[in-house]
Structures are given as C-alpha cells and as structure tokens.
Amino acid sequence: MNAVEHRRGFTLIELLVVIGIIGLLVAILLPAVQSVRESSRRAHCQNNLKQIGIGLHGYAHSRKDSFPGGETSVVGTNGNSFSHGSTTMYLLPYIEQQRVYDYYNMSEPVFAYDSVPAFNQDQAVVPGTTKRVSSLSIPTYVCPSDQAAGALPATCSSLFGYARSRLNYIGCVGPWTMWANASCPGTVNSFNLFGTAAQKLTGINQMPGVFSSLYYAVGVGNSQYYGKPFPGFAAGRCRLREISDGLSKTIAFGEARPDCSFWLFLGWGFTPNSNGRGNTLVPLNYDTCDPGSLGNGVPDCQKPFNGNWLSYGFRSRHPGGVGFLMADGAVVFLSENIDHETLQRLGAKADGQAIGSY
C-alpha cells in the first residue's frame, strides 16, 4: 500500500506571526517612505523659491537694479485708494509666465476701494473663455507639501464668488510693527519690542525689509487716475544698493500657508496685500490656522481672519522650519527655533547689525 502524502499548511499561530511581522515591517518602513516623500517635496519647494529669486533678479536687471514693490496705493482726498499691481503679478514674465502676464492690462488700477469706475484686474479673463486669470495655477507659486494637505478654506471659494489659485510664497517687509490684537495684545506688543531696534527706513514710507506697503497721497480725488499710471510708482521698489546689510544676509521671500492667513485667500493674482507682507516679528510657524469661527473659544489671534497681523508671519508644512529666499538668490531653510532677534536682523535690509551663523 502506498503511503498517503500529507501537504502541510500554515497553522493559525504561524499565520498570525507572519501577519505580525509584515505589520511591524510596514510600521518601520512607512515613516521612512513618508520622510523620503517630504524630502522630495521640500526640494521641489526650495526650487520654487530659487525660480522666484531668478525672477526677482531678472526683473531688477530690467528695472535699473530695483525689485518690484510689495504694495502701492494712491490715496485721494476722499480717503479711498487704488492698488496698482502686485509682486507676484510683476514677476510672471521672469518665471516663464509671460502669456499669463499679457492677459492683464497693467497700466490700469488693479482694484478700487470705492465706486469710481476702474478696470479691475480681478475681472480679467483668459481670452476666449470665462476663466478668471487669477484662478490659473502658477506651479512656481505652489508648495507641494501644502497643496497636498487639502483645499483652501471655504472662505476662499466664497470670497467674491470664486476660488483663486494658491500662493505659498510672500515678500518680506521685515520687522514691521504690528497692530495689537484685542485677543492677545500682550503677545503682539512683546513682538513689537523686537522690531523697534531693527527698523531703519531707507526712503519715505518704506518698510525695514525688502518689500514695502507704500501709499502716495494726492491732492484730488481718485477719478483722475482712471486709465493712467500712478505717479511715483518706481519709488515703491527697493533698489539693490539700499540692501546695505548685504544681499546674502537679507530675506527677500519666504513660505506662507494660505489656510492660515486671510490675505493669502486672495491668491497670487489679486491685490498687492496678498503677497508683500511677510513680517519677521512673528515667530516662524506661529499658529494662526484655527479654522473655527470667531468666538469659538480659541483666541482670535490664532485665526487667519482679516486684521490679525500675526497671520502675516512666515510658516510652512515642512517639519521643523520654513524655507526662505535671500536677496542674493540663495535658498535657506531656517529652523522654527531660530533666535527671535536674529530673525529680525535677517528681515531688515539696512539695520547695520552684524549677523553671525544662523
């Protein structure tokens, strides 16, 4: 009689051991995989900053060694104002986005804060379509780490009726004094103390950093500027020679998160307010990202709403710090634990203070 052959399989205990080993390996390898992915996204983000730096210097080369203004407005006797272009608009031709730039008429006011008829850049559409120009995604302006985190808050899609494209990089105004927030005035006031010693203005109304919010007062109402370039617009631009602390020691651009700042809800293609107000007085990655409504028990200074100057700080989704573009075109990653005073020195272009290693 032939012997009966028995085929042996896994016992239940063996199967459970194998599953446990596989689960352990996944638990060990998954963080490593995620770390590699984040490292790739961070490198992509730093390359975006590098491209912005190339654009800034391309602009400067064509504009007598001047960077574009951070915000420029004309204020009439009626108290209303026009804004005229934004940093990220003016950089478009220098980051291989000439066609998008050409969709705008930059000789007209971008936005009017009154009822005076004016060409509103936000109404500009791609020829032959109904698609708003400011809704077009500009890859150089989007950090992949932040984009992967989800959509902008509902406020963004509802504000003025449609969503705008994301903007993750903003110009630096340096250590500029902030308005106190009633929700946490002590915090704001303590930060303002750091700004006082670091501010040295290099021109009328200029900020201590590379970019400025400039307002030109005029003697008559705004209507005379309809269809005309604003007077003195060139004065809103920082000249390279004004960065006396050294281009390699001065921040030009840095990362920001649209879901943490009301101004960034407007994207790259609206008013200048959204892309030239990065304030170094706010510690890096300071949390203003609470999505709840005002009065929900979380201090308002931790929300991205309009008027919270703490939301003008630099922040990113990269673990441990924020990427920056220096005025010489170099890209650095600063730890969120950087000495606060050192951050102010890096933000100021002409404070005359020496900076060591950082």
Side-chain angles (χ1 to χ4, degrees):
M1 180 182 296
N2 295 330
V4 178
E5 294 183 0
H6 294 281
R7 186 170 296 173
R8 185 176 182 273
F10 286 110
T11 66
L12 178 60
I13 293 177
E14 290 172 328
L15 184 61
L16 291 175
V17 170
V18 169
I19 293 174
I21 293 173
I22 292 174
L24 180 61
L25 290 174
V26 170
I28 293 174
L29 293 176
L30 187 58
V33 172
Q34 291 174 335
S35 177
V36 170
R37 288 178 176 174
E38 168 54 26
S39 178
S40 176
R41 289 192 292 262
R42 176 172 153 180
H44 186 165
C45 181
Q46 290 180 320
N47 184 63
N48 286 345
L49 284 166
K50 190 70 175 179
Q51 294 305 310
I52 291 173
I54 292 173
L56 278 174
H57 282 272
Y59 181 98
H61 180 72
S62 65
R63 297 293 196 282
K64 299 181 180 179
D65 288 335
S66 296
F67 287 154
E71 176 184 355
T72 306
S73 298
V74 173
V75 181
T77 55
N78 55 7
N80 298 317
S81 65
F82 286 150
S83 293
H84 192 276
S86 67
T87 307
T88 44
M89 283 181 179
Y90 284 106
L91 288 182
L92 289 174
Y94 305 96
I95 59 170
E96 301 183 346
Q97 295 292 338
Q98 179 70 52
R99 184 176 64 172
V100 177
Y101 180 81
D102 289 341
Y103 292 151
Y104 287 114
N105 182 350
M106 299 303 286
S107 67
E108 299 284 1
V110 175
F111 184 67
Y113 292 95
D114 58 18
S115 59
V116 175
F119 180 81
N120 190 335
Q121 300 286 21
D122 194 47
Q123 304 300 320
V125 298
V126 178
T129 74
T130 58
K131 189 177 184 66
R132 302 285 183 95
V133 177
S134 56
S135 71
L136 298 177
S137 178
I138 306 298
T140 304
Y141 291 158
V142 179
C143 173
S145 291
D146 196 26
Q147 185 183 42
L152 287 172
T155 308
C156 180
S157 58
S158 62
L159 195 66
F160 299 104
Y162 78 102
R164 292 162 173 78
S165 180
R166 298 181 73 90
L167 174 67
N168 282 111
Y169 309 102
I170 55 177
C172 180
V173 299
W176 185 248
T177 301
M178 299 179 290
W179 290 104
N181 186 302
S183 178
C184 49
T187 300
V188 176
N189 289 336
S190 64
F191 293 160
N192 282 339
L193 294 177
F194 280 93
T196 304
Q199 292 174 14
K200 180 180 180 182
L201 309 186
T202 58
I204 185 170
N205 289 332
Q206 284 206 19
M207 301 295 192
V210 169
F211 294 94
S212 294
S213 297
L214 300 181
Y215 297 89
Y216 295 96
V218 297
V220 295
N222 291 332
S223 59
Q224 69 162 326
Y225 294 110
Y226 175 62
K228 300 179 182 179
F230 290 161
F233 180 61
R237 304 175 185 142
C238 171
R239 292 167 173 79
L240 296 185
R241 65 174 180 270
E242 294 176 327
I243 307 176
S244 60
D245 286 351
L247 300 181
S248 66
K249 300 290 187 179
T250 306
I251 293 171
F253 256 76
E255 289 187 80
R257 290 176 54 184
D259 54 329
C260 303
S261 177
F262 174 89
W263 297 107
L264 294 177
F265 291 0
L266 301 174
W268 65 265
F270 193 57
T271 74
N273 298 353
S274 61
N275 50 56
R277 289 192 175 189
N279 197 329
T280 57
L281 281 183
V282 186
L284 301 187
N285 286 331
Y286 188 93
D287 185 8
T288 58
C289 306
D290 181 77
S293 59
L294 299 180
N296 69 342
V298 178
D300 291 348
C301 60
Q302 294 181 18
K303 301 180 185 300
F305 74 94
N306 183 13
N308 180 10
W309 280 53
L310 293 171
S311 71
Y312 293 158
F314 293 98
R315 52 184 62 84
S316 79
R317 283 192 177 272
H318 307 303
V322 179
F324 286 93
L325 168 73
M326 308 307 285
D328 66 344
V331 175
V332 300
F333 189 80
L334 299 182
S335 168
E336 61 188 27
N337 297 318
I338 186 174
D339 176 74
H340 198 189
E341 184 170 354
T342 299
L343 182 62
Q344 314 320 313
R345 302 302 181 193
L346 291 172
K349 64 180 180 287
D351 65 1
Q353 301 296 314
I355 300 176
S357 60
Y358 56 88

